[in-house]
Amino acid sequence: MTATPTETLITVFGGSGFLGRHVVRALAKRGYRIRVAVRRPDLAFHLQPAGRVGQIHAVQANLRHPGSVNAAVRDADAVVNLVGILFERGRQHFDTVQAFGAEACALSAAAHGAQLVHVSAIGAGEQSRSHYARSKAAGEKLVRAAVPDAIILRPSIIFGPDDAFFNRFAAIARLAPALPLIGGGRTRLQPVFASDVAAAVVAALEGRATAGATYELGGPAVRTFKELMQFLLNTIERQRLLLPIPFGLAKLPAFFLQFLPSPLLTPDQVELLRQDNVVSDQARQERRTLEGLGITPTLMEAVVPAYLQRFRKTGQFRVRSI
């Protein structure tokens, strides 16, 4: 983008979500005008304090309705698509949201001549056993067809306040006597801080990424699922049994858990855990990583304890022995 930030309008789809809040805040700090495209604008008022008066404006948009998508993109200089779901509900299906929804954003960006940054996920693959991962791959393919110069960002597991990973398992550990280690807990993950992903979005918009490239975003350390659960338990100061469960056996409770309003585990997530979720060797060699964008990854040890304090028996306080 050649215009100054105050002259630049960026439409952010999914800007009211967990990652979206970090992206909107990062863009606001740079001085950009931000149009947050969400299904329920009345639920996006919490974003207003992140910017100056009039800098952040929420509009209604539904990825299933191209007309609303075009209206949200009209006059924008750039588009950021953050929309994604972790499980299916009602009309919210993986293909609808993460494949055809991504295409709708890309087609609209192309029609209006807007720059496009699309956030996908490490593990996206057409041959994956996970429907989530296949839909992410389909979305990437459709985005590339519509906007060849689009920059695609693939983060690993994202952590930060209100995340759906550490908070969820900490909540389970507060009540349950054991934490499940799906597949024995050997799956390798590379948790990345939400603010670092937001910084990568800003870097891509400001020309620090190669047009048409795909970047894989991971934190500074690779940990197994078991190691992450041990870190979590140490952080919240609770002793719990770590129970290895084979993938096949884990799908049985996951089948029933998927019907909860906010599922703790689904069969598709079990399939997703069969493969490592880390930055590839090729991405590292080609510097298509956070470091390649000039961003130093944040250690989870520097962030996670602060927002998991509420899961300790004494919160942020320590019991002092006399």
Side-chain angles (χ1 to χ4, degrees):
M1 294 181 294
T2 57
T4 62
T6 55
E7 299 172 335
T8 302
L9 174 63
I10 301 174
T11 295
V12 181
F13 286 90
S16 63
F18 163 57
L19 177 59
R21 293 194 292 272
H22 290 265
V23 171
V24 169
R25 188 179 304 117
L27 292 172
K29 285 183 178 180
R30 300 289 290 175
Y32 294 106
R33 292 188 297 130
I34 306 155
R35 179 185 290 158
V36 182
V38 291
R39 287 187 300 156
R40 292 281 304 277
D42 57 307
L43 300 181
F45 292 146
H46 62 278
L47 297 172
Q48 300 295 332
R52 302 184 307 274
V53 175
Q55 185 181 9
I56 301 169
H57 178 59
V59 299
Q60 198 282 331
N62 189 320
L63 296 183
R64 297 196 307 273
H65 303 145
S68 69
V69 174
N70 283 323
V73 174
R74 187 178 298 119
D75 298 325
D77 299 283
V79 174
V80 178
N81 180 27
L82 306 173
V83 180
I85 55 175
L86 296 175
F87 53 88
E88 296 180 315
R89 274 292 180 274
R91 291 184 293 176
Q92 296 293 309
H93 300 287
F94 287 134
D95 290 329
T96 303
V97 175
Q98 297 175 167
F100 302 118
E103 181 185 35
C105 287
L107 290 173
S108 188
H112 291 85
Q115 181 184 0
L116 176 63
V117 176
H118 175 71
V119 176
S120 182
I122 287 180
E126 294 180 345
Q127 304 303 319
S128 175
R129 299 175 60 151
S130 163
H131 189 185
Y132 169 90
R134 293 196 304 273
S135 68
K136 283 289 189 181
E140 290 184 6
K141 188 174 182 179
L142 292 169
V143 165
R144 282 270 177 258
V147 186
D149 287 342
I151 296 169
I152 294 176
L153 305 178
R154 287 180 164 187
S156 182
I157 298 294
I158 302 177
F159 69 85
D162 300 324
D163 67 41
F165 185 76
F166 286 115
N167 280 289
R168 176 171 298 180
F169 284 102
I172 295 173
R174 184 163 57 182
L175 302 173
L179 289 178
L181 296 180
I182 311 301
R186 292 183 291 272
T187 305
R188 297 187 306 147
L189 307 169
Q190 195 168 350
V192 59
F193 187 30
S195 289
D196 291 343
V197 178
V201 171
V202 173
L205 290 170
E206 295 184 343
R208 284 175 273 153
T210 302
T214 298
Y215 287 76
E216 297 184 9
L217 313 179
V222 174
R223 304 285 180 85
T224 65
F225 186 84
K226 180 179 180 179
E227 289 172 337
L228 290 176
M229 292 302 99
Q230 291 171 329
F231 163 72
L232 181 145
L233 291 174
N234 289 336
T235 299
I236 64 175
E237 300 176 354
R238 293 179 185 270
Q239 294 183 348
R240 294 292 185 267
L241 176 67
L242 294 177
L243 183 64
I245 302 177
F247 288 113
L249 186 60
K251 294 187 74 172
L252 179 60
F255 174 80
F256 296 99
L257 290 172
Q258 70 178 324
F259 298 111
L260 293 173
S262 181
L264 299 175
L265 186 68
T266 69
D268 194 77
Q269 289 169 353
V270 172
E271 295 294 344
L272 196 61
L273 283 170
R274 288 181 183 270
Q275 64 184 72
D276 292 338
N277 197 279
V278 299
V279 174
S280 66
D281 291 336
Q282 182 177 357
R284 285 199 301 271
Q285 292 168 3
E286 298 177 1
R287 290 188 60 76
R288 290 182 287 105
T289 59
L290 283 175
E291 293 87 346
L293 294 171
I295 301 166
T296 301
T298 303
L299 287 166
M300 63 181 185
E301 289 85 352
V303 177
V304 175
Y307 66 84
L308 289 190
Q309 287 180 345
R310 64 193 180 97
F311 294 102
R312 294 174 179 168
K313 291 182 179 180
T314 56
Q316 73 270 33
F317 302 102
R318 300 278 183 177
V319 177
R320 182 178 298 176
S321 58
I322 301 177

